[in-house]
Amino acid sequence: MNKPTRVPDRPEPIPGARLLFSNDATVAQLNHGSFGMVPVPVQRAQQRFRDEMEANPHRFFSVGLEERIAHVRRHLATFVGADPEGTALVDNATTGSSIVLSSIPFGTGEEIVTTDHGYGAVDLAVDETCRRTGAVHRVAPVPLTADDATVTAAVLAAITPRTRLVIVDRITAATARLFPVRRIIQEVRATAGDRVAVLVDAAHAPGIVDDPVRELGADFWVGNLHKWAFAPRGTALLSVAPAWRARIRPLVLSWSTEAGFPASLEWVGAHDYTPWLAAPTGLFVLRSLGIDAVREHNAALAEHGQHVVAAAVGAEVPAPTGLPMTLVPLPEGVAAELTAAVALRRRISDELGAEVGLSAWHGRGYLRLSAQVYNRVDDFQRLAEGLPKLIR
């Protein structure tokens, strides 16, 4: 980590971008990484689909809906560089991970490897799978400041002859780290061949990084589009390698179960399909602003805001990651466990009018600050001005 020195230059706002959102301007929204923010044009597109659905529900659900969903799937899969025929729309990355876990017949003593940076809900699903099947959950410890070689070595060191599945994050939720999944997959293949499957949890990746899914070599990949690709919440993709597609089983059986993957996952009766149908409008908004311009703006603003807040609380600054999410370590003993972290996050919201991500990781509290095109430097300054008093 680095001592905060000169605050990086603030980026120029993207003209007109802030007007695309309907967020409460009195609140510093610094937690885009959790729930996203749906642009107004996407909200309107979704409302048009809702209006169509409510005008004649029977016709909406029974005439051509599956073809419309397939069209959206092809559009979104192309955006992330995945095979449309091997990709299914699902509600979120956690759902996709649970589908994968329920589709692999783990035997007693077989192992599922994750890292200690993994998303909590996925860890819960892994633990439940282990209770149900007798499998074993092995956790690879990875230092917060680990470089790519160290991350890769840590994952490989956790693999044994009993390992059946490795789950690795592309961008970690709690610690905002970019993991070298392509390198990890290559090393796993070189070490264990096809004996060990790899699931890439890319919940934050779509819209942030260019990782053509078909080039990664993963057995499974799951990513959300409601975070950084401006889709409505409830829009995610699960991409599956050809060897696994016939073995994928939906969590809920419905009328399309016999159709096989991906339709067996997508059609679940009276589901609200309007987020999926409106998702291409989100990609249109992102492309209209300029994907590279949005990424560069958000990464620069996140780094600037990180330094502003870190200086206010006297924290060391982790090395830049180029991501639109950054970490600020809190003083020792502040938000050091989950209950305390939740309580502090609520106080920040109630008393400072700021929404942040906050996690307790290995006995240390960390603020996770997100930057999106609707944010301004003032949002971070508001947090910086009020936080020192609050954590005292």
Side-chain angles (χ1 to χ4, degrees), residues 113-161:
V113 171
T114 65
T115 76
D116 56 354
H117 295 250
Y119 186 55
V122 174
D123 285 339
L124 289 172
V126 170
D127 290 339
E128 174 58 27
T129 300
C130 292
R131 283 191 290 269
R132 176 172 52 82
T133 65
V136 176
H137 184 186
R138 287 175 59 85
V139 179
V142 178
L144 183 62
T145 58
D147 60 15
D148 287 358
T150 303
V151 175
T152 304
V155 172
L156 291 177
I159 296 174
T160 77

Side-chain angles (χ1 to χ4, degrees), residues 14-323:
I14 296 177
R18 197 170 193 180
L19 300 176
L20 292 171
F21 296 86
S22 58
N23 53 296
D24 184 348
T26 68
V27 177
Q29 303 281 357
L30 301 175
N31 194 22
H32 188 92
S34 285
F35 302 106
M37 192 76 70
V38 183
V40 171
V42 184
Q43 295 179 42
R44 291 174 176 167
Q46 186 178 6
Q47 187 59 51
R48 288 193 294 271
F49 288 120
R50 287 195 185 106
D51 292 342
E52 178 190 350
M53 177 173 61
E54 297 306 333
N56 190 338
H58 187 275
R59 182 173 183 82
F60 180 85
F61 284 100
S62 61
V63 180
L65 181 58
E66 290 162 276
E67 289 77 11
R68 295 169 80 177
I69 293 171
H71 175 75
V72 168
R73 182 210 313 140
R74 288 191 290 270
H75 188 90
L76 301 182
T78 299
F79 174 71
V80 300
D83 177 5
E85 301 309 311
T87 303
L89 281 153
V90 293
D91 287 341
N92 52 41
T94 304
T95 299
S97 297
S98 291
I99 290 168
V100 171
L101 288 166
S102 68
S103 298
I104 299 175
F106 294 101
T108 301
E110 292 186 327
E111 297 168 351
I112 303 169
V113 171
T114 65
T115 76
D116 56 354
H117 295 250
Y119 186 55
V122 174
D123 285 339
L124 289 172
V126 170
D127 290 339
E128 174 58 27
T129 300
C130 292
R131 283 191 290 269
R132 176 172 52 82
T133 65
V136 176
H137 184 186
R138 287 175 59 85
V139 179
V142 178
L144 183 62
T145 58
D147 60 15
D148 287 358
T150 303
V151 175
T152 304
V155 172
L156 291 177
I159 296 174
T160 77
R162 300 287 289 168
T163 302
R164 187 78 186 277
L165 175 68
V166 170
I167 303 177
V168 61
D169 295 67
R170 181 59 173 119
I171 300 170
T172 64
T175 55
R177 297 287 300 169
L178 191 67
F179 276 3
V181 295
R182 187 190 300 265
R183 180 171 177 175
I184 291 170
I185 293 168
Q186 290 173 345
E187 294 292 339
V188 170
R189 293 285 179 260
T191 302
D194 295 330
R195 175 178 63 81
V196 176
V198 180
L199 163 61
V200 174
D201 182 348
H204 288 272
I208 292 183
V209 294
D210 285 321
D211 282 334
V213 175
R214 58 166 55 92
E215 297 178 11
L216 291 177
D219 299 275
F220 313 98
W221 177 100
V222 62
N224 293 320
L225 283 92
H226 76 265
K227 295 178 182 288
W228 302 99
F230 293 155
R233 282 168 286 277
T235 306
L237 293 172
L238 170 62
S239 187
V240 178
W244 287 97
R245 292 172 190 172
R247 290 179 268 182
I248 292 294
R249 295 292 177 264
L251 298 177
V252 178
L253 301 182
S254 191
W255 291 106
S256 290
T257 297
E258 296 303 319
F261 182 85
S264 61
L265 300 187
E266 294 174 338
W267 181 253
V268 287
H271 182 76
D272 184 2
Y273 298 98
T274 63
W276 298 355
L277 297 175
T281 306
L283 297 186
F284 175 80
V285 171
L286 181 58
R287 290 180 172 125
S288 296
L289 292 172
I291 296 177
D292 290 339
V294 169
R295 290 173 179 167
E296 291 169 7
H297 169 275
N298 292 348
L301 183 56
E303 186 181 355
H304 177 92
Q306 176 193 39
H307 278 72
V308 168
V309 177
V313 298
E316 295 182 336
V317 180
T321 62
L323 296 175

Side-chain angles (χ1 to χ4, degrees), residues 27 343-356 390:
V27 177
L344 179 57
R345 179 174 54 80
R346 289 175 176 168
R347 289 192 65 198
I348 292 171
S349 176
D350 294 341
E351 299 178 34
L352 303 184
E355 302 294 348
V356 300
L390 200 63

